[in-house]
Amino acid sequence: LAHRVTATDRSVTSFQLGVNKISWLLIRFMLIMAPIVLFINGFTKGDWGEAVLFALSVAVGLTPEMLPMIVTSTLAKGAVFLSRKKVIVKRLDAIQNFGAMDVLCTDKTGTLTQDKIFLSHHVDVLGKKSHTVLMLAFLNSYYQTGLKNLLDVAVLEAVDQDMKFEKLRFKKLDEVPFDFERRRMSVIVRTPQSQIRMVTKGAVEEMIKVCTHIEIKGEIKELTAQLRKEIEEITQHYNREGLRVVAVAYRDFDGICENFSVKDESDLILAGYITFLDPPKESARPAIQQLHAHGVSVKVLTGDNEFVTQKICQEIGIPHEKVLLGGMVETLSDEDLKLVVEEYTIFAKLSPIHKERIVEQLKANGHVVGFLGDGINDAAAIRAADIGISVDSAVDIAKESADLILLEKSLMVLENGVIEGRRTFANMLKYIKMTASSNFGNVFSVLVASAFIPFLPMLPIHLLVQNLLYDVSQIAIPFDHVDEEQLEKPQRWQPSEVGRFMVVFGPISSIFDILTFGMMWFVFDANTPAQQSLFQSGWFVVGLLTQTLIVHMIRTKKIPFIQSCAATPLVVMTIIISAIGIFLPMGPLAHYFKLEALPLTYFLYLPCILLAYMCVTQWIKGIYIRRYGWQ
């Protein structure tokens, strides 16, 4: 387990895959468009040096330079929000994975159930109360030096002072540690009668396999098939009441033995059972209901037996009729398991490798998978999941593997995390959609203008300044509101959706850019190389204002400013950048940027162009939503 968790590379998460795909989409777009701009300007203008600079400027304009900052700041804002909800975020990209998660796999003990377990019964083989069984269990839990789990703690707390003193008469000689294959552990002690005794406790089924006799009222009897059947009925009765059952057995050795191993765990005498009450957390049922309401299915992956798991799942509202056991998982091929993991909700008697394998197959089926666990046996699955979640009371290796750590016992924070993850993703997607569509429109306009206008429609410095101002206006996006409808379902990266969006909405701005070209050419007579700075100034202002306004058009599927208004920081940034865009050609800095003041009549046409642009965009948006939906 340590090797699988620390020595192997972490698998690529849904977030990383999505960002890679989007980045390559934009890179391919840049590699196609920049050379086209270069050759059109080179051949039509004849100045290849200027054409190279212009093409490079276009390439820079196409690059979403603010993407790393927008992504990091939106994730950081999500981390700050979750910290107020008592959640430690170890990996920022886990927040977006939280929002994309559509399957949550969870361990049972300590996650769905309370992290306080109580010992409820200590009985002999036939279910009668037995102090001998409690004493044997106490010796096993007290003298074992491995990690004391909640069951051991419950045993140690259940004994009285007399029994604690009684242990002083025993001397520990050796132990055989617990592992997830045997599902039992043993300690070897010297009794007050100088007898060497192995005391073993573990899962009932695994214990029965190594027992040959039973002890009833001090009498040793052979373990017959009939007795095995009775034992199964008694333990299942406890399980169906929601109690965990651990069998306790022992074996005495003759002579002097120094080294003990797994092979010595044979021919044991079954003394009885100890049962534990492990009630579900009060927050488990409402948390499960909220997750289901938000499109997240919950699957339980546990090492415990099926009857206890079904009882707990029934209490917290998880479908509990069908259970797949670890032994069956062992026999299934990857192809078969891919089908089975979709069908079942409860997986019981699992080893750590079984849990990891189920998570991997769910991911292979296209799900974004979260795993919530707190034990050693959960560590590999936590690391394999897109988002690993643990709790502060978990063992160190589980917390080390996790992306998020819950500091409170309430599971309702899971719902908060899912909502915040979706809000974070929605704001990141806004920037990518805005930038991709706006940049595509700009380049399309450049291509049209370059083919028909005898001078550059915009100088490289104009493109770069416009791009810088536009990017600065996006700084406020992480603080923007998100419509409630966008938080209802899991959200993930869809490069094809971004590409389609870019191709549909990009040319809309080009239509109004071409109208601006016509206005500057025919109305203001900016149609010669001598008048090119006026032409460029006119397009600079329209281009920047339409790019800035598209933020408000695309941030929501509703009517902007009426049905859905942006957050105050975003509105303020829009106003500031628009004002700067108008000030640059009109103010004293114009000649530094090779711009010139625009005639006042220009500002009579400008509102008409912007209003028409917003109306057409909203009309196209309605058609787009009806046909493709809105992410």
Side-chain angles (χ1 to χ4, degrees), residues 601-617:
T601 51
Y602 172 88
F603 294 98
L604 297 176
Y605 291 98
L606 181 62
C608 299
I609 292 174
L610 296 179
L611 185 61
Y613 172 66
M614 293 173 66
C615 292
V616 171
T617 302

Side-chain angles (χ1 to χ4, degrees), residues 217-437:
K217 296 180 181 179
E219 183 181 351
I220 308 299
K221 294 184 178 181
E222 186 178 351
L223 182 55
T224 62
Q226 179 61 32
L227 283 170
R228 286 177 187 270
K229 187 175 180 181
E230 288 184 35
I231 289 169
E232 184 178 344
E233 290 174 354
I234 291 170
T235 55
Q236 285 187 12
H237 169 72
Y238 285 126
N239 288 154
R240 289 193 172 95
E241 290 183 349
L243 298 174
R244 297 184 65 179
V245 181
V246 173
V248 180
Y250 69 94
R251 173 187 175 185
D252 292 331
F253 291 86
D254 296 326
I256 299 174
C257 300
E258 294 185 355
N259 296 315
F260 293 85
S261 64
V262 173
K263 69 177 186 295
D264 295 309
E265 291 179 334
S266 59
D267 301 325
L268 300 182
I269 300 169
L270 182 64
Y273 333 102
I274 46 177
T275 69
F276 300 89
L277 180 62
D278 188 13
K281 289 180 178 176
E282 292 181 3
S283 61
R285 177 179 273 278
I288 298 298
Q289 289 173 343
Q290 287 297 325
L291 288 170
H292 285 161
H294 287 96
V296 180
S297 61
V298 180
K299 296 181 183 291
V300 178
L301 279 59
T302 179
D304 210 344
N305 76 54
E306 65 271 35
F307 303 109
V308 178
T309 307
Q310 284 178 301
K311 174 68 174 177
I312 294 294
C313 289
Q314 182 181 6
E315 291 182 17
I316 63 177
I318 293 177
H320 59 281
E321 292 77 17
K322 298 174 67 177
V323 183
L324 187 71
L325 302 182
M328 187 65 182
V329 172
E330 198 81 49
T331 64
L332 295 173
S333 66
D334 286 348
E335 290 303 316
D336 291 335
L337 189 58
K338 278 184 183 181
L339 301 175
V340 169
V341 292
E342 300 293 339
E343 183 181 350
Y344 286 83
T345 304
I346 301 176
F347 302 83
K349 291 188 178 178
L350 300 179
S351 72
I353 307 305
H354 293 154
K355 292 185 178 184
E356 182 185 31
R357 192 172 166 220
I358 290 169
V359 168
E360 293 285 6
Q361 294 308 317
L362 283 166
K363 288 174 65 177
N365 286 350
H367 295 289
V368 178
V369 184
F371 191 97
L372 172 62
D374 67 342
I376 295 174
N377 57 336
D378 300 318
I382 289 173
R383 188 174 176 85
D386 289 298
I387 173 168
I389 311 165
S390 193
V391 292
D392 65 331
S393 57
V395 298
D396 288 345
I397 195 170
K399 289 190 284 189
E400 180 67 27
S401 305
D403 304 310
L404 299 177
I405 298 176
L406 313 183
L407 298 181
E408 285 191 343
K409 294 180 180 179
S410 173
L411 294 179
M412 290 304 292
V413 73
L414 291 174
E415 184 213 0
N416 293 328
V418 167
I419 297 300
E420 188 59 27
R422 293 177 186 177
R423 183 178 290 111
T424 297
F425 175 80
N427 282 333
M428 282 190 287
L429 194 61
K430 283 177 193 176
Y431 172 75
I432 291 173
K433 283 184 171 181
M434 294 165 192
T435 303
S437 57

Side-chain angles (χ1 to χ4, degrees), residues 79-140:
V80 170
F81 171 83
L82 289 178
S83 70
R84 298 193 187 107
K85 302 292 183 180
K86 301 292 184 67
V87 179
I88 296 173
V89 180
K90 291 176 60 184
R91 293 179 64 198
L92 276 181
D93 61 7
I95 296 171
Q96 191 275 322
N97 287 328
F98 221 159
M101 178 177 72
D102 60 343
V103 175
L104 173 66
C105 297
T106 175
D107 181 36
K108 179 180 69 67
T109 308
T111 50
L112 294 179
T113 59
Q114 297 177 14
D115 57 358
K116 182 67 176 175
I117 292 179
F118 307 94
L119 190 146
S120 56
H121 299 87
H122 44 93
V123 297
D124 64 17
V125 175
L126 298 181
K128 306 297 182 183
K129 188 173 181 179
S130 170
H131 287 284
T132 301
V133 170
L134 181 59
M135 185 65 200
L136 290 172
F138 173 61
L139 290 172
N140 180 284

